Amino acid sequence: MQPLRGTKDILPSDIKIWQNIYDIAKNLLHNYNYKEIRTPILESTDLFEKCIGDFTDIVNKEMYNFKDQSARRVTLRPEGTSSIARAILSNKLYLNNHMNRLWYSGPMFRYERPQQGRQRQFHQLGIECIGSEKPIADIEVIQLAYKILTQLKCNQECSLELNSIGNIKEREMYTEQLTKYLTKYAKELDEDSQRRIHKNPLRILDSKINKTQEILKDGPVLKDYLSIESLKHFDEICENLDYLKIKYNINSYLVRGLDYYNYTAFEIKTQLTHHQNTLCGGGRYDNLIEQLGGPKIPAVGWAIGIERLIILMKQKLNTEIIDKKIYILTEDLYNINFIWDVINILEEYNLQFELDITNINLNKKIRKASKVGAKTCILLRNNEITKKQILIKWLNTGKQQTILFSNLKQYIYYLKTIL
Ligand code: HAM
């Protein structure tokens, strides 16, 4: 029996990497006063249709929609931002705090064609800085993504792409001109782009088809339709990124696949993985909360795809985990009280241990521990137990020494300094 196509078990051997990512993100985000929020995985279909946009791929083809027992239209969330915007309103979070800095993590669902780095159930770590229209908020969130990748030692392989897609009015003016221009070349465009000309022409900008890109080269450019105010916002972000020494490329074709963005749009890509190389996507969404029936609250944020980040980490780093566990190997389980006395001390000193409770003999237990990379073993043999002694064996060097049980605490104190 296999899991559903596009879904995966996350096995204990990988969990350490997941925990490492979350630990680093959690500490950093805590320092910047981002608070964790957890929203339901299941939301009304209506929410995502309103937020993400009717003509986007996500809403059109990728959502896991179904009707519940009461015939309500519900959806497994394809992303986190819509739910956060809804949560801000449902809980009136804006009343007590002018700023809400939030972070979240968890599974998202999109019915896409699975391949490496693209799953139907995947995980995002995301942040949303809600309550400021100032460029400093954009810079803060971009910088945080960059810092997380730096602490995970992945920043060298990543590049930041940045664009300003202006406000709704500017985009409407541009879209009108773009549609006019592309209509002239409709027959030469790829099939997907032909379909998008009247429904979502901006998405044609990031088409991967060479011919379409050729045609776009002579077309209208979004930047020419931006007001002084929009350009100023964008310039300030660029200047600050320069100051912070965060490298970026301006990509005037970057528009993102969700409709709620305005002004800043950005993506962090990797050079190492060939397919699905967008690790992080984000941008500003100043109208989303108002669009859902709330007050006008500007916001900016991003989400990192954890599976894609892990592919990069595994390609780049030696993620082998050093086994710091202490293996307790007994000749038999006859003198259980003594075993508990030893375990209690290990626990008191917060050492991780594994008691071998299999039926095999002691030599086989030692071989088994050695095979899984164990360094330190505590051997409890009947002979020593009667003398209240313990044998410590170092599997990597073969050295061993006998200590008195009464000296175990002192020995552990020493062990902790070298493990
Ligand atoms: P997004 O670009 O749709 O943005 O997704 C963010 C990241 O999720 C992607 O860059 C990618 O790493 C990961 N991702 C997306 N789809 C898949 C998939 N099928 N399999 C594996 N990973 C995937 C958003 O979701 C926005 N909510 C980001 C945001 C937050 N904007 C503002 N605030």
Side-chain angles (χ1 to χ4, degrees):
M1 186 108 179
Q2 293 297 317
L4 289 178
R5 194 163 131 77
T7 70
K8 270 187 188 161
D9 300 310
I10 304 163
L11 299 175
S13 52
D14 267 352
I15 287 290
K16 264 258 144 87
I17 307 178
W18 286 73
Q19 286 171 342
N20 185 23
I21 295 172
Y22 286 119
D23 287 349
I24 283 180
K26 218 163 79 182
N27 285 338
L28 187 67
L29 294 171
H30 171 78
N31 290 347
Y32 276 73
N33 199 29
Y34 280 73
K35 307 248 162 69
E36 184 178 358
I37 182 167
R38 296 183 189 184
T39 60
I41 287 172
L42 206 55
E43 296 266 8
S44 80
T45 306
D46 206 33
L47 172 71
F48 301 112
E49 286 173 348
K50 271 191 189 150
C51 292
I52 299 173
D54 283 343
F55 296 118
T56 58
D57 282 352
I58 297 181
V59 169
N60 260 326
K61 337 187 251 202
E62 294 170 3
M63 292 213 297
Y64 276 88
N65 298 332
F66 57 95
K67 286 197 175 150
D68 69 8
Q69 321 289 39
S70 314
R72 289 187 198 93
R73 292 167 68 237
V74 292
T75 297
L76 292 176
R77 63 179 182 196
E79 58 113 32
T81 312
S82 308
S83 305
I84 304 284
R86 199 252 329 116
I88 290 275
L89 288 181
S90 314
N91 301 285
K92 295 198 171 57
L93 293 182
Y94 52 88
L95 288 184
N96 289 335
N97 296 316
H98 179 63
M99 285 299 301
N100 280 285
R101 288 182 166 93
L102 302 171
W103 73 271
Y104 56 92
S105 66
M108 309 288 160
F109 303 82
R110 295 185 194 175
Y111 193 82
E112 293 188 83
R113 199 166 49 78
Q115 53 175 254
Q116 203 201 25
R118 195 206 274 150
Q119 292 176 202
R120 291 181 175 166
Q121 178 177 335
F122 60 99
H123 295 75
Q124 284 186 344
L125 168 78
I127 71 170
E128 313 291 353
C129 178
I130 300 165
S132 169
E133 79 278 311
K134 299 247 164 26
I136 192 162
D138 308 50
I139 301 154
E140 176 178 297
V141 298
I142 294 174
Q143 190 191 198
L144 280 168
Y146 181 81
K147 277 182 189 260
I148 290 174
L149 294 174
T150 306
Q151 288 195 20
L152 290 168
K153 302 189 173 60
C154 288
N155 58 314
Q156 298 290 339
E157 285 69 30
C158 293
S159 57
L160 168 65
E161 296 197 355
L162 202 61
N163 193 20
S164 173
I165 55 169
N167 59 32
I168 298 176
K169 222 166 124 199
E170 291 156 7
R171 237 177 7 260
E172 265 171 16
M173 273 168 13
Y174 172 67
T175 308
E176 202 182 304
Q177 294 309 313
L178 182 69
T179 309
K180 257 192 206 161
Y181 173 78
L182 289 173
T183 309
K184 286 192 281 180
Y185 297 94
K187 285 197 182 120
E188 295 168 58
L189 295 174
D190 59 280
E191 235 175 84
D192 262 350
S193 300
Q194 283 179 1
R195 233 180 350 97
R196 283 176 168 150
I197 287 187
H198 296 286
K199 286 189 169 168
N200 197 354
L202 283 182
R203 289 296 287 163
I204 299 176
L205 293 180
D206 60 13
S207 160
K208 305 273 180 299
I209 309 294
N210 288 343
K211 179 73 193 163
T212 304
Q213 281 301 329
E214 289 264 306
I215 294 170
L216 283 169
K217 267 188 196 150
D218 296 323
V221 179
L222 179 52
K223 201 171 177 210
D224 297 339
Y225 293 78
L226 299 187
S227 62
I228 293 178
E229 197 193 331
S230 294
L231 289 170
K232 222 175 124 218
H233 186 99
F234 189 60
D235 287 346
E236 202 168 325
I237 294 171
C238 295
E239 277 165 25
N240 276 269
L241 291 176
D242 289 336
Y243 178 75
L244 294 168
K245 298 198 168 44
I246 297 176
K247 287 195 192 126
Y248 57 88
N249 298 313
I250 296 174
N251 174 357
S252 46
Y253 289 163
L254 178 72
V255 284
R256 310 265 307 121
L258 305 103
D259 278 357
Y260 47 64
Y261 293 113
N262 64 297
Y263 295 139
T264 323
F266 61 89
E267 286 183 347
I268 299 179
K269 301 197 168 174
T270 66
Q271 291 110 36
L272 276 189
T273 39
H274 298 298
H275 302 289
Q276 308 309 323
N277 62 349
T278 309
L279 270 192
C280 171
R284 179 163 275 288
Y285 50 96
D286 293 338
N287 304 305
L288 183 59
I289 294 171
E290 191 180 25
Q291 222 170 286
L292 284 180
K296 186 166 168 64
I297 305 177
V300 57
W302 51 251
I304 290 177
I306 300 295
E307 283 82 359
R308 293 190 192 173
L309 178 58
I310 289 177
I311 292 174
L312 171 67
M313 288 172 71
K314 282 187 168 172
Q315 278 182 4
K316 191 185 133 43
L317 304 166
N318 179 7
T319 45
E320 197 190 313
I321 282 123
I322 298 159
D323 197 344
K324 289 187 174 176
K325 248 187 296 180
I326 304 216
Y327 286 76
I328 307 173
L329 311 179
T330 57
E331 204 156 43
D332 53 40
L333 289 168
Y334 181 67
N335 200 331
I336 293 182
N337 292 354
F338 191 72
I339 299 174
W340 286 126
D341 291 343
V342 172
I343 285 179
N344 282 341
I345 291 178
L346 294 181
E347 202 183 338
E348 188 185 328
Y349 282 81
N350 205 16
L351 278 173
Q352 196 193 11
F353 60 87
E354 182 173 331
L355 171 66
D356 190 332
I357 50 172
T358 56
N359 273 333
I360 54 179
N361 70 35
L362 187 59
N363 280 337
K364 279 194 181 154
K365 282 180 186 168
I366 296 172
R367 279 206 293 277
K368 200 174 89 183
S370 178
K371 221 170 163 184
V372 295
K375 253 168 72 180
T376 326
C377 293
I378 289 182
L379 301 189
L380 302 180
R381 299 190 298 195
N382 297 345
N383 183 22
E384 278 119 2
I385 290 178
T386 47
K387 291 188 242 161
K388 292 264 177 205
Q389 287 177 340
I390 288 167
L391 188 69
I392 312 280
K393 192 173 173 76
W394 295 87
L395 293 181
N396 51 345
T397 59
K399 269 193 193 155
Q400 53 185 50
Q401 65 191 115
T402 308
I403 59 162
L404 280 172
F405 174 73
S406 53
N407 287 336
L408 182 60
K409 284 190 179 182
Q410 220 178 335
Y411 192 81
I412 286 180
Y413 191 74
Y414 155 74
L415 262 187
K416 283 194 77 131
T417 61
I418 54 168
L419 275 180

